[in-house]
Amino acid sequence: MGKITIGLSAILAIIIIIFVINSNFTNIIPENNTSLADKNLNLNSFPNAVGLHWGHMPLIYEIYNCTDYQANRLIRGFAKIENETKGDVSFLRLNNSSQNKEVDIAVLCRKEYKSAPEPGYTVSGDSGYLTYVNYPNLIAKAEINFYGISSSTYSAGCTIYPDIEVHEILHGFGYGHNESTKSIMYPSHVMCAFKIDDNIITDLKEKYGSS
């Protein structure tokens, strides 16, 4: 009888341990997005970054339901951010070499206006980002939205610089609107901004730079 009691006690102890581990893991899963993998939760390559930031580079992105013209502008937008930060911020489009990786930034072109990104996202402009519950300064996902995209051409924005695309991508980094008409983050398209604001570049390089 003594042997049976010891066996049951051991089993009970194992069940309790498993329950505690599962409870702790559940608490750090982002709200409304329980599909985020465990490997992302402990991945923060920039522990000294101040304020809102991503935890790794490069960031994986994919473009959905966009025309070829708009997709090309978006690809240029990601490239501009990478070039202007001297590679401290880097991106990789989802392709055959990255199929086993999760998408960090989803870019969606929509014919009709959608009131907000998915539940749980912090709205920034027409886009939004999701942070971890226990790590509110660590960005887990971003959703970037473009509306009224239905034709083969896209007339909004500057012709020689993908200003609107860069603007929306930067929302995915947590940058809000700026009231200066010269800023890439000005909320209305009134003039062409041909580069990212110096203070944003400085902030990005301080957060993600190797030095």
Side-chain angles (χ1 to χ4, degrees):
M1 189 69 176
K3 292 182 179 179
I4 295 176
T5 302
I6 293 173
L8 290 175
S9 298
I11 292 172
L12 180 60
I14 292 172
I15 292 173
I16 292 173
I17 292 171
I18 292 173
F19 176 79
V20 171
I21 292 173
N22 285 341
S23 297
N24 290 335
F25 178 73
T26 301
N27 287 336
I28 59 175
I29 293 287
E31 294 175 326
N32 301 306
N33 200 333
T34 56
S35 65
L36 291 176
D38 179 22
K39 63 175 181 286
N40 287 333
L41 297 176
N42 299 315
L43 183 58
N44 184 9
S45 300
F46 312 104
N48 296 322
V50 177
L52 195 65
H53 66 283
W54 289 91
H56 64 279
M57 292 289 162
L59 298 174
I60 307 298
Y61 74 91
E62 188 51 293
I63 301 169
Y64 303 95
N65 300 322
C66 298
T67 64
D68 290 342
Y69 182 81
Q70 176 63 15
N72 288 332
R73 283 185 61 96
L74 283 160
I75 292 169
R76 288 173 56 208
F78 283 108
K80 288 293 184 183
I81 296 173
E82 187 164 337
N83 291 339
E84 291 183 42
T85 59
K86 308 295 185 185
D88 287 338
V89 175
S90 58
F91 304 97
L92 180 65
R93 187 174 182 182
L94 186 69
N95 53 37
N96 292 334
S97 63
S98 57
Q99 283 294 339
N100 60 333
K101 299 181 180 180
E102 295 185 15
V103 172
D104 298 305
I105 303 175
V107 184
L108 302 100
C109 294
R110 306 174 186 275
K111 293 182 179 181
E112 298 180 358
Y113 183 77
K114 184 173 179 286
S115 59
E118 297 300 321
Y121 280 71
T122 299
V123 177
S124 184
D126 288 331
S127 304
Y129 57 86
L130 182 72
T131 59
Y132 294 106
V133 172
N134 285 3
Y135 304 94
N137 283 333
L138 191 60
I139 302 174
K141 298 282 182 182
E143 179 184 305
I144 298 172
N145 294 297
F146 289 90
Y147 302 104
I149 309 301
S150 59
S151 64
S152 59
T153 59
Y154 181 69
S155 59
C158 301
T159 56
I160 62 174
Y161 187 89
D163 56 335
I164 293 179
E165 289 73 20
V166 170
H167 174 110
E168 292 300 331
I169 294 168
L170 289 175
H171 277 318
F173 282 73
Y175 294 104
H177 287 146
N178 188 317
E179 293 305 313
S180 171
T181 56
K182 297 180 179 179
S183 172
I184 194 77
M185 299 310 294
Y186 188 71
S188 300
H189 179 71
V190 295
M191 61 182 295
C192 288
F194 296 121
K195 70 183 185 71
I196 301 170
D197 306 23
D198 290 340
N199 64 310
I200 293 179
I201 293 296
T202 298
D203 187 56
L204 289 171
K205 290 182 69 64
E206 287 179 350
K207 287 178 177 177
Y208 306 109
S210 56
S211 59

